Amino acid sequence: MNPLGVIVGVDGDIAQVGMYNMSNETEYLWDGKLLAGPKVGAFLTVKQNDIKIIAIVTSEKIIDQQNTVKSAQFDNRYSPNSINRIVCLKTQGVIDNGKFQLTSEHVPMIGNEVMLTSPEDLNSIYDIEDGEPTISIGKSVREKQTVKLPINKFFASHIGIFGNTGSGKSNTLHKLYLELFRSQYRNNIFEKSKFFVIDFNGEYTQAEQFGVRDQYKKIFDINTRSNASDKLPIIKDYLFDPDILAILFDARPATQIPFLRSAMKEFKKINSAEDFFKEEWGLLKKLILDFKVVNYEPIDQWIQVAKSYGMGNDLLDWITFGNKPHKFAELSVYSVDSSNPIITEGQFNYKNKIINERIRDLEVKMINGFNKLNELEKLKVFLEFQKIYVTAWRSTNIEYINPLFKRIDASLNSLIPIIELTNNKDIDNKFKCLNIINLVNANQEIKRLVPMMLSKMIYDRQKEEISQNSKIVKTCHLIIDEAHNILSSEFRRNGDSWQDFRLSVFEEIIKEGRKFGFFLTLASQRPADISPTIISQLHNFFIHRLVNENDLHMLENTMPTLDRNSYNDISSLGQGEAIITGNAMRVPVIVKVSKEKYNRPKSDDIVLTDLWGN
């Protein structure tokens, strides 16, 4: 191959090339193939004895060699016969014995000739180690070479996919995993790994999305606007952990968290509806016996809670306060028939046949009513009875507890229609290889709660299993599209304890997950909104077009593998074009991600004239 120029200057890691005869073609035909000319971003080869130094063009300029007269009348500088083109190169590595290596051992020297990089050498740059399994999602923009992505280095890592709306990031995310599921490892992937996709916009719910059939895929359509929502499986013991509930209900440390801890300790002792009745009937009886101290309000609260859950609506009216509710010197609370007092001589009147019949009727009603409740409703009613217990004798100020119950109501009312509680043994059967959690029809409360709950549950479970086995026998992959919705660091600065806990969960996942076979893929249009700690721990990146200065600044500060030339290209990338960089790539490369004709996310731009023209 004929040389294009010669090294005329070396300044640090930048070499200057004096180009022969301008050498200004955008493409060259060599051995029947079109090669990119020496333009910014293109590869060139510096010949140094038997070593080929591979460099990338970072800038270019021209200098005038003959004319120095600076007169408007006589100045004939920059004529074709008097100028030279100067191209600046930055060394990327060397090709030795046909293999591309990243090394600083060899650097350009003045007098070295520069030539186009041959197709074979380009293949070496983008090539993978012998025997390394790969997939491909597109071709390099400038060289039109197929870019191979090593499966192990990519999917056993944390991945970031960033780009403005419409830049193609959803297509890249889908194409990346589509090609993985198309690979020769497809069957073993289905057996030994699980993938969870948090889909805020409903983009990945079509038939055979990711190239996976329903046999291996399950879509959870979480819909808070309908009674027909799918239910997301959550391990009961995990959700009923006091620490999780404290975060879920945003409990305050001084009084509310101790209340939750104590209440959950008692709740875990309830193994049956009969246990529940004994507990709450014992509370009511104690309230009645201790009426002179607690007054009638806690008794009335107890009755209202029981009635609200259908536990004896037609039977509780027999507990009355007679004609003088404020004057019970003899501790007498009467039934509807005042000749049958509930209390006589300071003791509960079990000898009275009518009273005993009503107690047995109440027991049946409470047991039946409790059995009809789901697990979250059982927790809710138990906590309401516990509130009566801790406030009736003024051991806890009800003003400190009431705000907590407003948040309990809001959280549990949101979760009850969309959560299915299960146990550790059954949870694996509830999920398939690919699980897509569609939150497009969920309210903001659920969009806030579900991703964190699911992520922490599957991470803790993976961590526990791998710790017990001492080696990784299966992997778990969490994929979050529009990740800025839940990983924003702004809330941490505003003192949001829930958000602070959520960020702590994901920061632990991204720091420790690899050693337990747990890998995270994040896609976002606003990387600057995501916690810098999380961004800095990502290993490989697909960067589509970004123009916001804060986003660009974030990437500049957190991506050591992104060189200045590639960084400058980010704001000018076309739709579907992405810079791939990271630990799995030898050099950053701009790739045009292939777009599937049919099997792709529901994220295409709308053509208004087509809509309006029909």
Side-chain angles (χ1 to χ4, degrees), residues 44 377 594:
L44 292 180
E377 290 171 329
S594 302

Side-chain angles (χ1 to χ4, degrees), residues 5 78 142 439 465 499 527:
Y78 305 121
R142 295 189 175 101
L439 298 175
E465 290 191 12
Q499 183 71 359

Side-chain angles (χ1 to χ4, degrees), residues 54-277:
I54 302 298
I56 194 168
V57 178
T58 60
S59 64
E60 58 177 309
K61 62 182 180 180
I62 58 174
I63 61 173
D64 195 300
Q65 301 284 15
Q66 298 179 12
N67 300 286
T68 59
V69 178
K70 298 182 179 180
S71 164
Q73 184 174 2
F74 299 106
D75 194 355
N76 61 353
R77 291 178 301 159
Y78 305 121
S79 64
N81 296 323
S82 68
I83 62 173
N84 281 114
R85 181 186 182 202
I86 301 296
V87 168
C88 293
L89 302 179
K90 181 177 175 62
T91 301
Q92 300 293 304
V94 302
I95 292 182
D96 189 10
N97 294 323
K99 299 291 184 181
F100 178 74
Q101 302 174 7
L102 295 174
T103 178
S104 58
E105 180 181 356
H106 302 281
V107 296
M109 299 175 64
I110 290 177
N112 292 159
E113 288 193 312
V114 177
M115 59 191 66
L116 291 176
T117 301
S118 69
E120 292 76 19
D121 290 343
L122 286 174
N123 286 334
S124 297
I125 296 171
Y126 295 129
D127 203 5
I128 307 299
E129 296 178 7
D130 291 341
E132 178 79 20
T134 64
I135 61 170
S136 176
I137 64 171
K139 294 184 176 182
S140 62
V141 170
R142 295 189 175 101
E143 298 83 15
K144 310 302 183 201
Q145 298 288 315
T146 297
V147 177
K148 298 178 181 178
L149 307 180
I151 290 177
N152 290 314
K153 291 180 180 178
F154 261 94
F155 294 101
S157 76
H158 303 310
I159 302 171
I161 303 174
F162 303 123
N164 290 343
T165 299
S167 63
K169 67 180 183 304
S170 295
N171 182 66
T172 296
L173 187 155
H174 181 263
K175 181 68 172 176
L176 184 67
Y177 284 92
L178 175 68
E179 293 302 326
L180 175 66
F181 291 130
R182 284 175 172 172
S183 71
Q184 60 180 313
Y185 304 98
R186 177 186 181 93
N187 293 334
N188 284 334
I189 287 173
F190 292 153
E191 291 181 5
K192 298 182 180 180
S193 295
K194 278 189 168 61
F195 298 78
F196 295 84
V197 181
I198 307 295
D199 183 6
F200 284 100
N201 295 328
E203 296 182 18
Y204 307 99
T205 57
Q206 295 146 286
E208 297 194 27
Q209 199 81 83
F210 295 100
V212 178
R213 296 181 179 177
D214 291 344
Q215 179 183 358
Y216 301 107
K217 179 180 69 176
K218 188 165 185 178
I219 297 175
F220 295 90
D221 282 315
I222 307 302
N223 192 339
T224 55
R225 305 166 190 170
S226 167
N227 294 326
S229 173
D230 292 338
K231 291 184 178 291
L232 186 67
I234 298 291
I235 296 173
K236 178 180 176 180
D237 290 343
Y238 164 78
L239 181 59
F240 285 177
D241 183 286
D243 293 329
I244 296 294
L245 291 178
I247 296 298
L248 191 66
F249 303 146
D250 195 17
R252 303 297 184 260
T255 55
Q256 297 174 359
I257 288 181
F259 165 75
L260 278 178
R261 292 188 185 281
S262 175
M264 292 310 299
K265 183 178 180 180
E266 295 301 318
F267 181 69
K268 290 180 179 179
K269 297 178 183 178
I270 304 295
N271 296 314
S272 65
E274 288 75 13
D275 291 341
F276 172 78
F277 172 76

Side-chain angles (χ1 to χ4, degrees), residues 586-602:
R586 292 173 174 172
V587 294
V589 57
I590 302 178
V591 172
K592 177 69 173 180
V593 180
S594 302
K595 194 170 185 177
E596 296 288 317
K597 186 174 182 180
Y598 300 110
N599 191 351
R600 62 175 188 259
K602 293 188 291 185

